[in-house]
Amino acid sequence: PKRMVIVVNDDDSEMRQEIEIRFAVSMQKNGVSVVSARSLFPPTRQWTAEAQSEILRKEQIDAVMVITVGASARTVIPVMTEQNTTTTVNASVYGNTAHAAGQSTSTTVPIYAAKSKATFSAVMRDAVTGRVAWYADVVVKASGTLFVSDKGDAKGVVGEVGDALIKDGHVAR
């Protein structure tokens, strides 16, 4: 396809937007223009199949990619603590007399390890016939002490879908 519309089925609008943006950027690198379904079909009214088909034809959309967000789970466990100490000393001299005062502050910061697992399904349909041209089930796993989040899951699913579309010959590299 040269022009594609992306539909993300998820109740979380932040996740939906993250996938839409990342997918558009990823596909653009491979010469495919991507438009979000919400920009073509704003959720301000009911859209008939005929009205949608007319807009897809007018916008010269070749394919419709539907990514559905499934179950996700996160585990966070404390693994260690880090202690930071700051010491401040103020001194003054007046004649033969010296005065000094100091203060020390210590903070303990817990360090957590996080793991996440999220499932997605992706289906690409021909925009004219509606036939399924490609599909995949994707499981994204992440772990670390930072950045285990919806953004990481969005990045993971977009990477998997993009790589698979290229590997299967639907998108040129």
Side-chain angles (χ1 to χ4, degrees):
K2 292 294 176 197
R3 269 183 73 73
M4 192 182 300
V5 65
I6 177 78
V7 179
V8 179
N9 293 321
D10 192 24
D11 292 335
D12 181 351
S13 62
E14 185 178 340
M15 174 69 109
R16 177 186 50 77
Q17 290 173 338
E18 192 68 30
I19 292 172
E20 288 171 348
I21 291 166
R22 287 180 179 274
F23 188 75
V25 169
S26 172
M27 291 294 102
Q28 186 65 44
K29 291 177 184 175
N30 295 295
V32 178
S33 175
V34 175
V35 180
S36 86
R38 285 190 173 226
S39 66
L40 291 180
F41 312 111
T44 56
R45 66 181 178 100
Q46 293 291 333
W47 290 89
T48 65
E50 293 80 21
Q52 287 180 334
S53 293
E54 178 60 33
I55 290 172
L56 292 174
R57 211 173 8 264
K58 180 179 149 195
E59 294 293 323
Q60 299 178 334
I61 301 294
D62 303 307
V64 177
M65 174 61 73
V66 179
I67 297 177
T68 302
V69 179
S72 66
R74 298 210 183 334
T75 306
V76 179
I77 51 174
V79 290
M80 62 188 264
T81 58
E82 181 178 286
Q83 188 165 355
N84 298 312
T85 304
T86 304
T87 303
T88 306
V89 177
N90 294 315
S92 62
V93 177
Y94 183 75
N96 291 335
T97 307
H99 296 280
Q103 178 179 342
S104 183
T105 305
S106 189
T107 57
T108 302
V109 179
I111 305 294
Y112 295 97
K115 293 182 180 182
S116 76
K117 179 179 176 181
T119 60
F120 301 85
S121 67
V123 178
M124 185 174 69
R125 294 182 176 273
D126 181 284
V128 176
T129 66
R131 288 187 174 161
V132 174
W134 178 88
Y135 74 92
D137 291 318
V138 179
V139 176
V140 176
K141 295 179 182 179
S143 64
T145 55
L146 295 172
F147 308 120
V148 176
S149 65
D150 286 347
K151 286 186 178 187
D153 292 343
K155 180 179 179 182
V157 71
V158 166
E160 291 284 332
V161 168
D163 289 349
L165 287 171
I166 292 167
K167 180 183 168 218
D168 294 345
H170 293 285
V171 172
R173 187 168 284 267

